[in-house]
């Protein structure tokens, strides 16, 4: 029965992708958050020692700074969480200006700097995790849709894809919609597939095909592999162009010789 409830909980979480993104973001940011909280703890400990020493011979010492442990508690509650900060500062201001200055510096460092930095870290990490998760979900959806299309067009039942089959694939409505979802131009897919198949052979596996499709998504950062592939394509085109120019130059020389 407990396993059944656990399975229902897992299905519920999967149906709420935004919640899963937040949980994964919190787990991913755990190390950085720990370092930030450690920095806050160091600030609190240092200022607790200072306040314990500066508050000697004051009336508020017994209430707020009677020992390092109580000082840390007071600084965390009043200086970091800002609970009744006005009353806390008024009690200190009435007796000790140096203590008020020290508390003000701690509030600026702990509450306004470290805590806001912690919020920024969490927002940045969750944004990156959300982007990665959305790309993963989109890739999985496109992978499934192309799998169905390729399975229906694989007439020779080899499990591989030829250039002719790719030309047919980009004419299928479902395939075009899948390409549109990942921002891939069908014309670019045909051009790259032609060069890709020259390297791999006359046919490619479905995994290689999907790697090629997902590698053509718009907005991706160029890698050394992409630059190398583009360089090879340009070298090939320039080679063909050089041969044509050489052939044309030979024909022109022949015509000039006949005229002379």
């Amino acid at each position: 029965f407990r396993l059944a409830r656990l399975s229902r909980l897992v299905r519920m979480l999967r149906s709420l992708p935004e919640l899963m993104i937040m949980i994964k973001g919190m787990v991913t940011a755990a190390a950085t958050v720990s370092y930030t909280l450690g920095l806050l703890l160091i600030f609190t400990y240092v200022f607790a020692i200072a306040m314990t020493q500066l508050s000697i011979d004051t009336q508020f010492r017994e209430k707020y700074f009677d020992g390092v442990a109580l000082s840390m508690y007071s600084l965390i509650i009043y200086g970091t969480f800002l609970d009744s900060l006005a009353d806390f500062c008024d009690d200190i201001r009435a007796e000790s200006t140096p203590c008020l200055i020290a508390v003000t510096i701690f509030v600026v460092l702990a509450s306004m700097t470290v805590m806001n930095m912690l919020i920024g870290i969490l927002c940045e990490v969750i944004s990156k995790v959300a982007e990665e998760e959305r790309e993963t979900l989109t890739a999985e959806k496109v992978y499934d849709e192309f799998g169905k299309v390729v399975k229906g067009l694989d007439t020779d039942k080899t499990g591989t894809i030829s250039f002719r089959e790719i030309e047919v694939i980009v004419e299928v409505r479902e395939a075009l919609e899948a390409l549109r979802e990942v921002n891939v131009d069908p014309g670019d897919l045909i051009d790259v597939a032609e060069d890709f198949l020259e390297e791999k052979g006359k046919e490619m596996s479905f995994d290689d095909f999907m790697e090629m499709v997902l590698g053509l998504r718009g907005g991706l950062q160029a890698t050394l592999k992409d630059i190398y592939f583009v360089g090879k394509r340009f070298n090939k085109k320039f080679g063909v162009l050089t041969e044509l120019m050489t052939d044309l130059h030979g024909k022109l020389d022949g015509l000039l010789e006949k005229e002379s």
Side-chain angles (χ1 to χ4, degrees):
F1 181 69
R2 292 180 179 178
L3 290 176
R5 285 191 297 179
L6 183 61
S7 64
R8 286 197 296 270
L9 177 62
V10 172
R11 286 197 298 270
M12 183 189 72
L13 291 176
R14 286 181 177 176
S15 64
L16 299 172
E18 297 298 330
L19 179 60
M20 291 298 297
I21 287 172
M22 291 181 63
I23 294 174
K24 289 183 178 179
M26 293 173 62
V27 173
T28 305
T32 307
V33 170
S34 299
Y35 293 136
T36 307
L37 293 178
L39 178 63
L40 178 62
L41 183 62
I42 292 173
F43 282 155
T44 305
Y45 181 69
V46 171
F47 276 87
I49 294 174
M51 294 303 300
T52 302
Q53 298 298 320
L54 291 173
S55 63
I56 295 176
D57 298 329
T58 59
Q59 294 182 2
F60 61 80
R61 174 185 173 85
E62 183 178 355
K63 182 178 181 181
Y64 298 119
F65 305 113
D66 191 13
V68 175
L70 181 59
S71 297
M72 291 183 68
Y73 172 80
S74 299
L75 290 174
I76 291 173
I77 298 299
Y78 301 109
T80 304
F81 298 147
L82 306 180
D83 184 25
S84 301
L85 178 62
D87 297 336
F88 177 63
C89 290
D90 287 341
D91 292 342
I92 297 173
R93 180 176 60 83
E95 295 189 57
S96 177
T97 300
C99 288
L100 180 63
I101 294 173
V103 167
T104 303
I105 295 173
F106 176 80
V107 171
V108 171
L109 289 175
S111 180
M112 299 180 65
T113 303
V114 177
M115 294 301 290
N116 283 309
M117 184 170 63
L118 180 61
I119 295 172
I121 290 170
L122 285 172
C123 291
E124 182 69 19
V125 171
I126 289 177
S127 297
K128 289 184 177 179
V129 171
E131 184 178 353
E132 292 175 358
E133 285 297 314
R134 290 191 185 98
E135 287 188 0
T136 301
L137 292 174
T138 302
E140 290 178 352
K141 182 180 179 181
V142 172
Y143 199 99
D144 293 337
E145 290 180 0
F146 265 107
K148 296 176 183 177
V149 173
V150 171
K151 186 176 180 180
L153 296 176
D154 189 15
T155 55
D156 52 5
K157 305 301 179 182
T158 59
T160 56
I161 303 172
S162 63
F163 183 72
R164 176 56 188 160
E165 288 174 337
I166 293 176
E167 289 181 322
V168 176
I169 287 173
V170 296
E171 296 177 357
V172 179
R173 183 176 59 83
E174 291 80 2
L176 289 175
E177 292 178 355
L179 290 174
R180 193 177 299 112
E181 287 184 6
V182 291
N183 195 20
V184 174
D185 185 78
D188 293 338
L189 177 60
I190 295 295
D191 293 338
V192 174
E194 184 178 0
D195 294 329
F196 191 84
L197 285 171
E198 286 185 2
E199 288 188 0
K200 297 289 184 179
K202 295 183 178 180
E203 296 183 343
M204 69 174 78
S205 66
F206 179 70
D207 291 335
D208 289 337
F209 172 73
M210 289 307 304
E211 181 181 357
M212 181 185 66
V213 170
L214 296 176
L216 292 174
R217 288 176 296 172
L220 292 180
Q221 189 173 8
T223 63
L224 182 60
K225 179 181 177 182
D226 298 326
I227 297 172
Y228 174 74
F229 185 72
V230 171
K232 289 190 66 176
R233 291 192 66 193
F234 271 108
N235 288 335
K236 177 187 173 183
K237 300 297 182 183
F238 278 126
V240 174
L241 181 61
T242 301
E243 292 178 0
L244 292 174
M245 292 298 294
T246 302
D247 184 56
L248 180 61
H249 183 69
K251 291 180 179 180
L252 289 175
D253 289 340
L255 291 174
L256 291 174
E257 288 177 359
K258 289 180 180 180
E259 290 180 359
S260 60

